[in-house]
Amino acid sequence: MTDAQTKTINRLDAEGAVRQLIARYAHHLDEGKFGEVADLLQHAEFDVVGNVVAGRDAIEAFLDAGIQRHADGTPRTWHTVTNTLIDVDGSGEQASSSSYYTVFQQLDGFPLQPIVTGKYLDRFARVDGEWRFVRRAVTAHSLGDLQHHVMGSNAEPAKASA
């Protein structure tokens, strides 16, 4: 195998691992599994529209305090992540990505609707041989009705959805 082929395989492997992390985050968040989200972000600085937390326990506490769970134990949200761009550095040990997200929500008396759109700006690195988030910045582009999602009712942009 040539050096170029090895680099291509390593890049594709990194991109696949990064896509898995991005998808797992959305799945765990929508399932109300904040501990699992915190596990994914345990090596990361987590910046939600300027509110920055770091460390597994601090991230889980931040999510528990900020996101409403409903009767089924979930936030009743559905995160859709699109337009993901991934760049892997030349060493194959670090990567960054940018993705658009849209969060939909539906509850009894609250019809299905998008409640927030924005962009995830992520950095990743290999930690003990595995790809991990090292930074996740959540930006908000458009805000809808967050009264059933973010603690404190119709929140300001600084409290937008994770």
Side-chain angles (χ1 to χ4, degrees):
M1 187 177 304
T2 69
D3 196 37
Q5 290 171 321
T6 299
K7 283 185 177 183
T8 298
I9 289 169
N10 289 341
R11 180 181 51 79
L12 292 172
D13 179 59
E15 288 177 1
V18 164
R19 287 185 196 286
Q20 278 286 325
L21 288 168
I22 292 168
R24 285 186 194 286
Y25 172 91
H27 282 255
H28 290 327
L29 199 57
D30 290 334
E31 293 164 0
K33 296 178 178 177
F34 299 160
E36 284 86 344
V37 173
D39 289 343
L40 289 175
L41 299 173
Q42 66 185 310
H43 301 284
E45 180 180 76
F46 187 39
D47 178 349
V48 180
V49 196
N51 298 297
V52 181
V53 292
R56 191 222 171 275
D57 293 342
I59 291 168
E60 184 175 10
F62 176 78
L63 295 170
D64 277 331
I67 297 177
Q68 295 181 42
R69 288 187 216 222
H70 299 281
D72 64 356
T74 75
R76 298 286 303 176
T77 56
W78 196 263
H79 286 66
T80 301
V81 182
T82 63
N83 301 338
T84 301
L85 301 172
I86 301 170
D87 292 309
V88 181
D89 79 347
S91 74
E93 296 296 312
Q94 296 182 39
S96 61
S97 74
S98 172
S99 306
Y100 293 169
Y101 71 87
T102 303
V103 181
F104 296 91
Q105 189 174 44
Q106 182 275 324
L107 295 149
D108 290 339
F110 188 76
L112 178 64
Q113 59 191 278
I115 59 170
V116 61
T117 68
K119 191 182 279 191
Y120 294 136
L121 302 171
D122 298 318
R123 288 197 320 253
F124 306 87
R126 286 189 192 267
V127 177
D128 297 328
E130 291 191 43
W131 283 99
R132 302 287 187 183
F133 282 98
V134 293
R135 178 165 170 77
R136 167 152 273 200
V138 180
T139 69
H141 180 266
S142 300
L143 295 174
D145 188 343
L146 295 173
Q147 70 177 314
H148 301 292
H149 184 52
V150 177
M151 297 294 191
S153 233
N154 226 359
E156 297 297 317
K159 303 263 189 206
S161 169

